[in-house]
Amino acid sequence: MLSRTRLFGGKTRVTFRLPAAEPAGIVSVVGDFNGWQPGAAELVRRRDGTRTVSVSFPPGEHRFRYLASGGVWFDDAGADRIDPQGGLIRVE
């Protein structure tokens, strides 16, 4: 699940949210915004039973996927578009 918040300076904060236990283990958001680097945007467990991480994006299109422990890649159904290369979010 994705949520967006407009910030000053034309950027938008996107919060990536997953259930606490699915998938099990460490999960990172990786994409063109962080050089597809695992661990650069790792989801953190919250009191409400979810895991989240927030990333600030400039306007444009940004490609991303989730990477879980064990090399498991998956996409977010809340992306603006999903294709064979992963999810795409558009920031205005």
Side-chain angles (χ1 to χ4, degrees):
M1 174 185 198
L2 304 175
S3 61
R4 301 165 200 231
T5 305
R6 302 279 278 173
L7 303 173
F8 292 108
K11 290 193 173 192
T12 298
R13 180 177 56 230
V14 176
T15 300
F16 300 86
R17 184 178 316 275
L18 293 174
E22 294 181 31
I26 297 169
V27 179
S28 295
V29 178
V30 295
D32 55 17
F33 58 92
N34 64 10
W36 298 90
Q37 183 69 32
E42 189 175 301
L43 281 80
V44 175
R45 190 173 311 275
R46 304 296 176 195
R47 289 185 203 185
D48 68 359
T50 63
R51 291 178 286 178
T52 67
V53 66
S54 295
V55 178
S56 294
F57 289 96
E61 293 187 338
H62 306 279
R63 188 161 297 279
F64 76 98
R65 294 193 84 193
Y66 293 106
L67 178 59
S69 295
V72 176
W73 291 91
F74 61 102
D75 298 310
D76 192 312
D80 294 325
R81 189 176 88 221
I82 299 173
D83 60 27
Q85 288 79 42
L88 186 74
I89 54 175
R90 290 183 195 93
V91 175
E92 297 179 13

